[in-house]
């Protein structure tokens, strides 16, 4: 499993593609947070926090993570190397887990590089003791869990499609739907019980609960459950590929 993870990690940082994807994210993120005069600019918020960063992150990551994941299995299928991979003495769990861990490490690198925003905000506020570290921890936990949810969905899409563009589009649609559409459907309902049920299915409510510093076990369990569902689905999809060989 670790060998596959290292292979996935080395691909991105031995080719310009990885640097372009990561660099594009950091540039766009910092432009919105520090330069563009929008609702996300930290200097306009008037508060010594990173709420704007956590508000814009779902939008950026629902494109970034499918872009990172689209080649994981799609390229293997288009190059004909998927047969070599799944006939090795590795279980479907080890193959999928290796890919998952590899891209997770890339996501962690991206999040660590974006932590410069913490230092910048911390230096700007007058009374640095007022910085809410507990809320920051909860917000980063929400962001990591959301990213892993997007990743598990994106890898499933990469297994299904041979074409990387198709994989990217389907993964982006899945991430967008799971984050935004359930809440949109819920707003159309007048029954409060049904509204609550539909809203709970989507990521948005659970993500913003955690990112606002409300650390609830049910939100964490939701994310872990969603990740587990798509991990199981991905492993089953890989097992189906084995039967076709």
């Amino acid at each position: 499993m670790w060998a596959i993870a290292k292979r996935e990690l080395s691909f991105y940082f031995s080719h310009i593609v990885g640097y372009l994807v990561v660099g594009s994210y950091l540039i766009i993120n910092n432009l919105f947070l520090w330069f563009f005069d929008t609702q996300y600019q930290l200097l306009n918020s008037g508060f010594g926090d990173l709420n704007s960063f956590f508000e814009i992150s779902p939008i950026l990551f629902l494109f970034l993570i499918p872009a990172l994941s689209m080649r994981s299995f799609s390229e293997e299928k288009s190059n004909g190397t998927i047969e070599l991979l799944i006939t090795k003495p590795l279980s479907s769990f080890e193959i999928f887990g290796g890919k998952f861990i590899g891209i997770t490490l890339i996501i962690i690198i991206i999040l660590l590089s974006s932590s410069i925003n913490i230092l910048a905000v911390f230096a700007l506020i007058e009374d640095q003791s007022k910085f809410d570290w507990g809320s920051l921890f909860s917000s980063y936990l929400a962001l990591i869990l959301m990213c892993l949810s997007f990743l598990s969905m994106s890898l499933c899409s990469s297994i299904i499609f041979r074409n990387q563009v198709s994989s990217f589009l389907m993964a982006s649609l899945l991430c967008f739907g799971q984050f935004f559409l359930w809440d949109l459907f819920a707003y159309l309902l007048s029954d409060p019980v049904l509204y609550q049920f539909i809203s709970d299915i989507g990521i948005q409510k659970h993500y913003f609960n955690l990112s606002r510093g409300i650390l609830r076990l049910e939100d964490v369990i939701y994310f872990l459950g969603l990740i587990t569902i798509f991990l199981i689905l991905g492993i089953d999809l890989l097992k189906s590929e084995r039967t076709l060989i």
Side-chain angles (χ1 to χ4, degrees), residues 172-238:
S172 299
L173 184 61
L174 276 172
C175 296
F176 177 85
Q178 190 62 31
F179 193 91
F180 290 107
L181 289 186
W182 290 110
D183 263 51
L184 180 62
F185 291 152
Y187 282 125
L188 300 176
L189 301 171
S190 57
D191 185 351
V193 176
L194 196 55
Y195 167 84
Q196 182 75 21
F197 175 76
I198 298 296
S199 180
D200 284 341
I201 298 175
I203 290 176
Q204 187 173 151
K205 175 184 175 181
H206 303 281
Y207 172 78
F208 283 120
N209 280 343
L210 289 171
S211 66
R212 293 182 185 120
I214 307 171
L215 190 56
R216 299 193 308 174
L217 183 61
E218 61 188 75
D219 294 319
V220 176
I221 291 174
Y222 166 83
F223 279 111
L224 295 178
L226 184 65
I227 294 165
T228 302
I229 288 170
F230 280 97
L231 285 177
I232 293 171
L233 177 60
I235 292 168
D236 285 342
L237 288 170
L238 272 180

Side-chain angles (χ1 to χ4, degrees), residues 131-168:
F131 194 81
D132 192 347
W133 293 103
S135 178
L136 182 68
F137 169 79
S138 179
S139 298
Y140 263 104
L141 176 63
L143 186 56
I144 291 169
L145 290 172
M146 182 200 70
C147 288
L148 295 182
S149 300
F150 285 173
L151 175 57
S152 60
M153 290 187 276
S154 299
L155 286 176
C156 288
S157 176
S158 183
I159 296 173
I160 295 170
F161 293 96
R162 182 182 295 270
N163 183 276
Q164 293 187 43
V165 177
S166 300
S167 172
F168 171 78

Side-chain angles (χ1 to χ4, degrees), residues 70-140:
M70 65 182 183
R71 59 158 295 279
S72 293
F73 291 101
S74 297
E75 187 177 67
E76 302 270 12
K77 294 176 78 171
S78 61
N79 291 340
T81 55
I82 187 69
E83 289 83 1
L84 295 174
L85 183 63
I86 61 181
T87 52
K88 286 185 176 182
L90 294 169
S91 67
S92 298
F93 171 78
E94 290 173 320
I95 295 171
F96 192 90
K99 297 278 189 180
F100 186 88
I101 292 171
I103 301 177
T104 297
L105 293 174
I106 298 170
I107 293 169
I108 290 172
I109 292 170
I110 293 171
L111 292 177
L112 287 174
S113 62
S114 69
S115 64
I116 192 171
N117 294 311
I118 302 173
L119 300 176
V121 171
F122 189 70
L124 286 172
I125 58 178
E126 294 180 1
D127 188 355
Q128 295 176 337
S129 63
K130 291 182 178 179
F131 194 81
D132 192 347
W133 293 103
S135 178
L136 182 68
F137 169 79
S138 179
S139 298
Y140 263 104

